[in-house]
Amino acid sequence: MSDTGASPTPPETSRLIRALHAHADLRATAMTAAREKLQISQQDARALEYIALNPGVRPGVLREYLGITSAGVTTLTDRLVRRGVVSREADENDRRATHLTASIDLDVEPWSTLTAIDRELEQAIVDSDAHDVAAATDLLERLLGALGR
């Protein structure tokens, strides 16, 4: 085995990486189960979850969240409306604007496992020291920045 010159990964770093991978894998498995049960795409599932967490969201906000075009969000929304999992309602004050509401309950299968994972993460963050949370946030933001996200 050749020496690459890189220093070994500190044990705490390895633990953090394993924990992040485990959380991501657990969440991905739950999302896949929800998608398969509803027979929807990954993008549709992300949109549906966002709409359920943000009732009354406008399509433009959903478009920004998903990083897709206006035409793309219209097509996606039309598809979810046809499936009966999202409703589109006109804004009372602006007839050109609409609001999206999900007809799914995130506390019921197939979403409840995903919701439980997210709630446990939120509780772990709440229970953590503020300095630790800030350091973890900085770390993850630097990682995402390095990945161009």
Side-chain angles (χ1 to χ4, degrees):
M1 188 183 295
S2 66
D3 182 9
T4 60
S7 56
T9 304
E12 288 303 310
T13 301
S14 295
R15 275 186 58 215
L16 176 60
I17 291 169
R18 283 194 306 276
L20 287 171
H21 282 219
H23 180 265
D25 289 347
L26 188 61
R27 195 170 196 295
T29 299
M31 179 63 87
T32 298
R35 285 183 41 236
E36 288 175 354
K37 185 163 187 173
L38 295 173
Q39 297 179 337
I40 58 176
S41 71
Q42 178 74 22
Q43 181 112 312
D44 287 2
R46 286 184 63 224
L48 186 54
E49 181 183 29
Y50 187 82
I51 295 166
L53 290 170
N54 301 280
V57 67
R58 293 183 59 163
V61 174
L62 179 63
R63 179 192 62 74
E64 288 175 21
Y65 171 75
L66 296 173
I68 60 176
T69 65
S70 294
V73 83
T74 299
T75 300
L76 180 148
T77 302
D78 288 347
R79 193 168 47 244
L80 294 175
V81 168
R82 277 193 309 274
R83 291 183 77 64
V85 294
V86 167
S87 63
R88 184 186 292 124
E89 298 156 7
D91 186 304
E92 294 177 7
N93 301 314
D94 182 354
R95 64 182 176 87
R96 297 167 298 162
T98 60
H99 298 276
L100 305 173
T101 305
S103 59
I104 61 162
D105 183 348
L106 293 178
D107 289 325
V108 175
E109 281 298 332
W111 298 97
S112 59
T113 302
L114 191 62
T115 302
I117 292 166
D118 291 345
R119 285 186 181 145
E120 288 299 323
L121 176 61
E122 287 173 15
Q123 189 60 51
I125 292 168
V126 167
D127 293 344
S128 295
D129 177 83
H131 181 267
D132 291 341
V133 172
T137 302
D138 289 345
L139 172 75
L140 292 172
E141 286 176 345
R142 280 198 324 255
L143 170 64
L144 292 171
L147 296 173
R149 298 193 178 225

